[in-house]
Amino acid sequence: MGVPIVLRALQNVQIVLSSLCVRGLKKTRGHMTHSDPSKAAVLPVAEGRTSFAWISILYVGLVFTIDTLASQRVSFLFDWTMFSWSLSDLLEYLPDFQKGSPLLRIAFHFDLFKFLAWFLFPFVLCWKNLDRQWLLPTHTQKRPRLFYFFSILSVFVVLIALFLIPSLRDYYGGNTGAQQKSWLEAGLSFFVWEMSWFPGWEFLCRYVLLRAALRIRPSWGWLVVPLFEGLYHLQKPFAEAMGMAVFSLFMTAWTVQHKSMFIPFCVHFLIEIVLLIFLFLI
C-alpha cells in the first residue's frame, strides 16, 4: 500500500531534481562557462531558480525523515513502518523463492526504500544532464597526501571509538545477529545492506543536496550537508552522530574544493569496510 503513495509523491518532485543536474551554464554576461554550481549560482539565473533548490533540500529532508520514522517504528498519525520496504518483500512472491530460504534472508537486508528514494529515483532524473566530473576523480587529486593521512586517521579513530565507547560497541555488536549466522551469510547480508543505502546516501548528500545548497548560498551553503547528516544520525548513539557531522565537514569541504565526490565516497566506503571487519572481531 505504501509503494504507490510514495511513487506518486516522487513524481511530483521530478522537475525539481532534474533542474539540479545541469552540467553547466552557457556564457552569460562574461566569457566563462561554469560547471561548478557554487560559481553558477552567482551568475544571472531565471527568476525563481533558487526555489527549485529549496524544494530539493526539502525533498532530501523529507525522505530522511520518513526513513527515520519508519526505522524507529513510529506510529504517530499512522504506522510509518509502511515505508519499511525490503527486497525480500518482492522476491517472496516469486515461485523460486520459498520463505526461510538463505537468499530471502540475505535479500531482507536490502533496504528498498533507501535504494529507490535516495539513489535510483534521483539518479535516473539526473542522468540526462548528469555532471559526471562531480562523480569522478579530478587531476588535482593525484597526490593528496594530507587527505590520505586524514583517511588513515579516520579509520583509526573509528576503530578506537568502536572498542572504547560502550554505546557504539553495543549498537553494532547487538543489532547485527552475525553471531547466529555463518561468516558467508553475515558478510553477504552486510554487503547487500551497504549496497542498498550507501551509493544513495553519498549521491543524495554530496550531489543533490550539496549542489542545491550551493545554488542558494555559494559561500557557506555546503554546511547544510554535515547538518543533515548529523541530524539523521541522532537516531544512533550520540557519539556516532557527532562523529558523522565532523567527518562530513571534511568530506563535504573536500568535495566543494575539488568539485568531485569520488575520494569522499571511497573514504566513507573504507570506513564501512572497517565496520564489517569489526562485526567479525567482537
Side-chain angles (χ1 to χ4, degrees):
M1 178 177 65
V3 177
I5 296 176
V6 173
L7 290 179
R8 288 196 299 269
L10 294 178
Q11 289 174 355
N12 294 331
V13 298
Q14 175 176 355
I15 189 174
V16 174
L17 294 179
S18 298
S19 67
L20 295 176
C21 304
V22 180
R23 297 189 62 179
L25 297 176
K26 294 182 178 180
K27 296 180 180 180
T28 56
R29 294 190 181 182
H31 61 281
M32 296 182 65
T33 299
H34 298 283
S35 61
D36 180 5
S38 63
K39 296 180 180 179
V42 300
L43 295 177
V45 294
E47 184 179 357
R49 186 66 176 259
T50 57
S51 64
F52 292 123
W54 278 112
I55 298 176
S56 296
I57 293 175
L58 291 176
Y59 169 80
V60 177
L62 176 63
V63 295
F64 279 177
T65 301
I66 292 176
D67 182 76
T68 300
L69 294 175
S71 299
Q72 299 302 312
R73 300 183 178 278
V74 175
S75 57
F76 178 70
L77 298 180
F78 59 89
D79 187 1
W80 290 91
T81 59
M82 65 183 295
F83 295 101
S84 296
W85 309 335
S86 171
L87 182 59
S88 61
D89 296 334
L90 299 179
L91 295 181
E92 65 181 9
Y93 290 103
L94 300 179
D96 295 334
F97 294 91
Q98 298 179 354
K99 291 186 177 180
S101 67
L103 289 178
L104 276 183
R105 290 200 301 269
I106 294 174
F108 173 78
H109 296 277
F110 190 93
D111 194 318
L112 194 57
F113 176 82
K114 289 184 176 68
F115 180 75
L116 294 176
W118 293 8
F119 176 70
L120 186 60
F121 180 74
F123 189 81
V124 169
L125 295 179
C126 293
W127 175 254
K128 183 178 180 180
N129 297 306
L130 187 69
D131 187 351
R132 291 167 177 78
Q133 296 303 316
W134 196 267
L135 309 178
L136 301 174
T138 63
H139 296 296
T140 60
Q141 298 177 14
K142 291 182 178 180
R143 301 183 64 184
R145 296 180 180 178
L146 181 61
F147 193 81
Y148 291 152
F149 170 77
F150 176 73
S151 302
I152 298 174
L153 179 63
S154 299
V155 172
F156 178 76
V157 170
V158 168
L159 284 174
I160 295 298
L162 286 172
F163 281 105
L164 297 184
I165 300 178
S167 60
L168 292 177
R169 186 172 61 252
D170 294 341
Y171 181 83
Y172 285 101
N175 293 335
T176 61
Q179 298 87 346
Q180 290 76 38
K181 301 177 181 178
S182 66
W183 280 46
L184 178 60
E185 183 176 345
L188 288 177
S189 298
F190 186 88
F191 178 78
V192 167
W193 176 66
E194 285 287 335
M195 292 301 100
S196 70
W197 71 267
F198 181 78
W201 174 270
E202 287 296 318
F203 183 75
L204 199 62
C205 289
R206 264 167 279 281
Y207 189 93
V208 176
L209 178 60
L210 177 57
R211 291 165 70 93
L214 290 176
R215 182 173 295 281
I216 297 173
R217 289 292 184 270
S219 58
W220 55 266
W222 63 277
L223 293 172
V224 171
V225 177
L227 175 63
F228 270 52
E229 293 192 277
L231 289 175
Y232 178 85
H233 280 76
L234 285 176
Q235 61 183 306
K236 298 184 177 183
F238 185 75
E240 179 172 351
M242 295 299 97
M244 186 64 206
V246 173
F247 177 78
S248 180
L249 280 172
F250 286 94
M251 297 298 98
T252 307
W254 175 273
T255 302
V256 174
Q257 180 182 3
H258 296 274
K259 306 178 185 64
S260 170
M261 57 177 283
F262 178 79
I263 287 185
F265 181 96
C266 294
V267 174
H268 191 179
F269 188 73
L270 176 62
I271 292 177
E272 295 297 325
I273 296 300
V274 171
L275 288 177
L276 174 61
I277 297 174
F278 174 80
L279 295 180
F280 290 100
L281 292 178
I282 57 177

Short mmCIF file of all heavy atoms in Angstrom, two decimals, residues 6-7 10 13 17 59-60 62-64 66-67 83 85 111-123 196 200-201 203-204 208:
data_model
loop_
_atom_site.label_atom_id
_atom_site.label_comp_id
_atom_site.label_asym_id
_atom_site.label_seq_id
_atom_site.Cartn_x
_atom_site.Cartn_y
_atom_site.Cartn_z
N VAL A 6 4.15 6.64 -2.32
CA VAL A 6 5.44 7.30 -2.46
C VAL A 6 5.78 7.54 -3.92
O VAL A 6 6.34 8.57 -4.28
CB VAL A 6 6.53 6.46 -1.78
CG1 VAL A 6 7.91 7.03 -2.07
CG2 VAL A 6 6.29 6.42 -0.28
N LEU A 7 5.44 6.61 -4.80
CA LEU A 7 5.72 6.80 -6.22
C LEU A 7 5.01 8.02 -6.77
O LEU A 7 5.56 8.79 -7.55
CB LEU A 7 5.32 5.55 -7.01
CG LEU A 7 6.19 4.30 -6.77
CD1 LEU A 7 5.67 3.14 -7.59
CD2 LEU A 7 7.63 4.59 -7.11
N LEU A 10 6.88 11.02 -5.43
CA LEU A 10 8.17 11.21 -6.09
C LEU A 10 8.01 11.80 -7.47
O LEU A 10 8.85 12.57 -7.94
CB LEU A 10 8.91 9.87 -6.17
CG LEU A 10 9.36 9.27 -4.83
CD1 LEU A 10 10.05 7.94 -5.06
CD2 LEU A 10 10.29 10.22 -4.10
N VAL A 13 8.16 15.61 -7.62
CA VAL A 13 9.41 16.34 -7.45
C VAL A 13 10.39 16.04 -8.59
O VAL A 13 11.56 16.38 -8.51
CB VAL A 13 10.07 15.98 -6.10
CG1 VAL A 13 9.19 16.39 -4.95
CG2 VAL A 13 10.38 14.50 -6.05
N LEU A 17 14.40 17.83 -9.00
CA LEU A 17 15.73 17.24 -9.02
C LEU A 17 16.39 17.36 -10.39
O LEU A 17 17.59 17.49 -10.49
CB LEU A 17 15.65 15.77 -8.60
CG LEU A 17 15.24 15.53 -7.14
CD1 LEU A 17 15.19 14.03 -6.87
CD2 LEU A 17 16.19 16.20 -6.19
N TYR A 59 13.07 17.92 -0.22
CA TYR A 59 12.91 16.52 -0.61
C TYR A 59 13.88 15.63 0.17
O TYR A 59 13.49 14.57 0.68
CB TYR A 59 13.14 16.36 -2.11
CG TYR A 59 13.25 14.91 -2.54
CD1 TYR A 59 12.11 14.14 -2.72
CD2 TYR A 59 14.49 14.31 -2.74
CE1 TYR A 59 12.21 12.80 -3.09
CE2 TYR A 59 14.59 12.98 -3.10
CZ TYR A 59 13.45 12.23 -3.28
OH TYR A 59 13.55 10.92 -3.63
N VAL A 60 15.13 16.06 0.25
CA VAL A 60 16.12 15.28 0.99
C VAL A 60 15.70 15.17 2.46
O VAL A 60 15.75 14.09 3.06
CB VAL A 60 17.51 15.91 0.88
CG1 VAL A 60 18.52 15.13 1.73
CG2 VAL A 60 17.97 15.94 -0.57
N LEU A 62 12.72 15.34 3.60
CA LEU A 62 11.51 14.52 3.68
C LEU A 62 11.85 13.03 3.68
O LEU A 62 11.36 12.28 4.53
CB LEU A 62 10.58 14.85 2.51
CG LEU A 62 9.31 13.99 2.39
CD1 LEU A 62 8.42 14.20 3.61
CD2 LEU A 62 8.56 14.31 1.10
N VAL A 63 12.68 12.60 2.74
CA VAL A 63 12.98 11.16 2.65
C VAL A 63 13.81 10.71 3.86
O VAL A 63 13.67 9.58 4.33
CB VAL A 63 13.69 10.82 1.32
CG1 VAL A 63 12.76 11.05 0.15
CG2 VAL A 63 15.00 11.58 1.16
N PHE A 64 14.67 11.60 4.39
CA PHE A 64 15.40 11.26 5.60
C PHE A 64 14.45 11.12 6.79
O PHE A 64 14.60 10.23 7.62
CB PHE A 64 16.46 12.32 5.90
CG PHE A 64 17.73 12.16 5.11
CD1 PHE A 64 18.76 13.08 5.23
CD2 PHE A 64 17.90 11.09 4.25
CE1 PHE A 64 19.93 12.94 4.51
CE2 PHE A 64 19.07 10.94 3.52
CZ PHE A 64 20.09 11.87 3.65
N ILE A 66 11.16 10.42 6.68
CA ILE A 66 10.33 9.22 6.50
C ILE A 66 11.11 7.97 6.89
O ILE A 66 10.60 7.09 7.60
CB ILE A 66 9.84 9.11 5.05
CG1 ILE A 66 8.84 10.23 4.74
CG2 ILE A 66 9.20 7.75 4.79
CD1 ILE A 66 8.38 10.26 3.30
N ASP A 67 12.36 7.90 6.46
CA ASP A 67 13.17 6.73 6.77
C ASP A 67 13.42 6.62 8.28
O ASP A 67 13.39 5.51 8.84
CB ASP A 67 14.50 6.81 6.03
CG ASP A 67 15.37 5.59 6.27
OD1 ASP A 67 15.07 4.54 5.70
OD2 ASP A 67 16.33 5.70 7.06
N PHE A 83 6.66 2.25 5.18
CA PHE A 83 7.76 2.60 4.27
C PHE A 83 8.98 1.71 4.48
O PHE A 83 10.01 1.96 3.87
CB PHE A 83 8.16 4.06 4.46
CG PHE A 83 7.07 5.04 4.09
CD1 PHE A 83 6.29 5.64 5.07
CD2 PHE A 83 6.82 5.34 2.76
CE1 PHE A 83 5.29 6.53 4.73
CE2 PHE A 83 5.81 6.23 2.41
CZ PHE A 83 5.04 6.83 3.40
N TRP A 85 10.49 -1.05 3.35
CA TRP A 85 10.43 -1.99 2.25
C TRP A 85 11.74 -2.77 2.17
O TRP A 85 12.82 -2.22 2.33
CB TRP A 85 10.22 -1.27 0.92
CG TRP A 85 9.06 -0.31 0.92
CD1 TRP A 85 7.95 -0.36 1.72
CD2 TRP A 85 8.91 0.84 0.09
NE1 TRP A 85 7.11 0.68 1.43
CE2 TRP A 85 7.66 1.44 0.44
CE3 TRP A 85 9.67 1.41 -0.91
CZ2 TRP A 85 7.20 2.60 -0.19
CZ3 TRP A 85 9.21 2.56 -1.53
CH2 TRP A 85 7.98 3.14 -1.17
N ASP A 111 17.53 -2.64 1.74
CA ASP A 111 16.52 -1.62 2.06
C ASP A 111 16.01 -1.00 0.76
O ASP A 111 16.67 -0.15 0.16
CB ASP A 111 17.13 -0.55 2.97
CG ASP A 111 16.06 0.34 3.61
OD1 ASP A 111 15.11 0.72 2.91
OD2 ASP A 111 16.19 0.64 4.81
N LEU A 112 14.85 -1.42 0.33
CA LEU A 112 14.31 -1.00 -0.96
C LEU A 112 13.91 0.47 -0.96
O LEU A 112 14.05 1.16 -1.98
CB LEU A 112 13.11 -1.87 -1.33
CG LEU A 112 12.63 -1.81 -2.78
CD1 LEU A 112 13.76 -2.17 -3.74
CD2 LEU A 112 11.44 -2.74 -2.99
N PHE A 113 13.41 0.97 0.16
CA PHE A 113 13.03 2.38 0.22
C PHE A 113 14.24 3.28 0.04
O PHE A 113 14.20 4.24 -0.75
CB PHE A 113 12.35 2.70 1.55
CG PHE A 113 12.02 4.17 1.72
CD1 PHE A 113 10.87 4.70 1.14
CD2 PHE A 113 12.86 5.01 2.42
CE1 PHE A 113 10.57 6.05 1.27
CE2 PHE A 113 12.57 6.36 2.56
CZ PHE A 113 11.43 6.88 1.99
N LYS A 114 15.33 2.99 0.75
CA LYS A 114 16.54 3.81 0.60
C LYS A 114 17.06 3.75 -0.83
O LYS A 114 17.47 4.77 -1.39
CB LYS A 114 17.62 3.32 1.57
CG LYS A 114 17.35 3.62 3.04
CD LYS A 114 18.53 3.17 3.88
CE LYS A 114 18.37 3.53 5.35
NZ LYS A 114 17.29 2.77 6.01
N PHE A 115 17.07 2.55 -1.40
CA PHE A 115 17.59 2.41 -2.75
C PHE A 115 16.79 3.23 -3.76
O PHE A 115 17.36 3.87 -4.65
CB PHE A 115 17.59 0.93 -3.15
CG PHE A 115 18.12 0.68 -4.53
CD1 PHE A 115 19.48 0.74 -4.78
CD2 PHE A 115 17.27 0.39 -5.58
CE1 PHE A 115 19.98 0.51 -6.05
CE2 PHE A 115 17.77 0.16 -6.86
CZ PHE A 115 19.12 0.23 -7.08
N LEU A 116 15.47 3.21 -3.62
CA LEU A 116 14.62 3.94 -4.57
C LEU A 116 14.63 5.44 -4.31
O LEU A 116 14.84 6.23 -5.24
CB LEU A 116 13.18 3.41 -4.48
CG LEU A 116 12.95 1.97 -4.94
CD1 LEU A 116 11.50 1.57 -4.69
CD2 LEU A 116 13.31 1.80 -6.40
N ALA A 117 14.41 5.85 -3.07
CA ALA A 117 14.24 7.27 -2.75
C ALA A 117 15.56 8.02 -2.66
O ALA A 117 15.60 9.22 -2.96
CB ALA A 117 13.46 7.42 -1.43
N TRP A 118 16.62 7.34 -2.25
CA TRP A 118 17.90 8.01 -2.10
C TRP A 118 18.74 7.97 -3.37
O TRP A 118 19.47 8.91 -3.66
CB TRP A 118 18.72 7.38 -0.96
CG TRP A 118 18.15 7.56 0.40
CD1 TRP A 118 16.93 8.08 0.74
CD2 TRP A 118 18.78 7.21 1.63
NE1 TRP A 118 16.77 8.06 2.09
CE2 TRP A 118 17.88 7.53 2.67
CE3 TRP A 118 20.02 6.64 1.95
CZ2 TRP A 118 18.20 7.31 4.02
CZ3 TRP A 118 20.33 6.42 3.28
CH2 TRP A 118 19.43 6.77 4.30
N PHE A 119 18.64 6.86 -4.10
CA PHE A 119 19.54 6.70 -5.23
C PHE A 119 18.84 6.61 -6.59
O PHE A 119 19.01 7.47 -7.45
CB PHE A 119 20.42 5.45 -5.04
CG PHE A 119 21.31 5.18 -6.21
CD1 PHE A 119 22.39 6.01 -6.49
CD2 PHE A 119 21.08 4.09 -7.04
CE1 PHE A 119 23.20 5.77 -7.58
CE2 PHE A 119 21.90 3.84 -8.13
CZ PHE A 119 22.97 4.68 -8.39
N LEU A 120 18.05 5.56 -6.79
CA LEU A 120 17.56 5.28 -8.13
C LEU A 120 16.73 6.42 -8.71
O LEU A 120 16.97 6.85 -9.84
CB LEU A 120 16.74 3.98 -8.12
CG LEU A 120 16.29 3.49 -9.51
CD1 LEU A 120 17.50 3.21 -10.39
CD2 LEU A 120 15.42 2.24 -9.38
N PHE A 121 15.75 6.89 -7.95
CA PHE A 121 14.89 7.95 -8.46
C PHE A 121 15.67 9.23 -8.77
O PHE A 121 15.59 9.75 -9.89
CB PHE A 121 13.76 8.21 -7.47
CG PHE A 121 12.81 9.29 -7.91
CD1 PHE A 121 11.88 9.05 -8.91
CD2 PHE A 121 12.84 10.54 -7.33
CE1 PHE A 121 11.02 10.04 -9.33
CE2 PHE A 121 11.97 11.54 -7.74
CZ PHE A 121 11.06 11.29 -8.74
N PRO A 122 16.47 9.78 -7.82
CA PRO A 122 17.23 10.99 -8.16
C PRO A 122 18.24 10.76 -9.27
O PRO A 122 18.42 11.62 -10.14
CB PRO A 122 17.93 11.35 -6.83
CG PRO A 122 17.14 10.66 -5.78
CD PRO A 122 16.64 9.40 -6.41
N PHE A 123 18.90 9.59 -9.28
CA PHE A 123 19.93 9.35 -10.28
C PHE A 123 19.34 9.26 -11.68
O PHE A 123 19.91 9.80 -12.64
CB PHE A 123 20.69 8.06 -9.95
CG PHE A 123 21.90 7.84 -10.79
CD1 PHE A 123 23.09 8.48 -10.49
CD2 PHE A 123 21.87 7.00 -11.89
CE1 PHE A 123 24.22 8.29 -11.27
CE2 PHE A 123 22.98 6.79 -12.68
CZ PHE A 123 24.17 7.44 -12.37
N SER A 196 22.44 -1.22 -0.69
CA SER A 196 21.08 -0.69 -0.78
C SER A 196 21.00 0.77 -0.38
O SER A 196 20.14 1.50 -0.86
CB SER A 196 20.13 -1.53 0.08
OG SER A 196 20.38 -1.34 1.46
N GLY A 200 23.27 5.65 -2.54
CA GLY A 200 22.25 6.67 -2.48
C GLY A 200 22.55 7.73 -1.46
O GLY A 200 22.27 8.93 -1.68
N TRP A 201 23.12 7.35 -0.32
CA TRP A 201 23.48 8.32 0.71
C TRP A 201 24.47 9.34 0.17
O TRP A 201 24.29 10.55 0.32
CB TRP A 201 24.05 7.59 1.92
CG TRP A 201 24.57 8.52 2.98
CD1 TRP A 201 25.83 9.02 3.10
CD2 TRP A 201 23.83 9.08 4.07
NE1 TRP A 201 25.93 9.85 4.19
CE2 TRP A 201 24.71 9.89 4.81
CE3 TRP A 201 22.50 8.95 4.50
CZ2 TRP A 201 24.31 10.60 5.95
CZ3 TRP A 201 22.10 9.65 5.64
CH2 TRP A 201 22.99 10.45 6.35
N PHE A 203 25.24 10.01 -2.99
CA PHE A 203 24.72 10.76 -4.13
C PHE A 203 23.71 11.83 -3.66
O PHE A 203 23.75 12.97 -4.13
CB PHE A 203 24.05 9.82 -5.13
CG PHE A 203 23.54 10.51 -6.36
CD1 PHE A 203 24.42 10.93 -7.35
CD2 PHE A 203 22.19 10.74 -6.54
CE1 PHE A 203 23.96 11.57 -8.50
CE2 PHE A 203 21.72 11.38 -7.68
CZ PHE A 203 22.61 11.80 -8.66
N LEU A 204 22.84 11.45 -2.75
CA LEU A 204 21.83 12.39 -2.28
C LEU A 204 22.45 13.53 -1.48
O LEU A 204 22.03 14.69 -1.63
CB LEU A 204 20.79 11.65 -1.43
CG LEU A 204 19.44 12.33 -1.23
CD1 LEU A 204 18.71 12.51 -2.56
CD2 LEU A 204 18.57 11.52 -0.26
N VAL A 208 23.05 15.91 -4.87
CA VAL A 208 21.77 16.62 -4.93
C VAL A 208 21.70 17.70 -3.86
O VAL A 208 21.47 18.89 -4.17
CB VAL A 208 20.60 15.63 -4.76
CG1 VAL A 208 19.27 16.39 -4.73
CG2 VAL A 208 20.59 14.62 -5.91
#
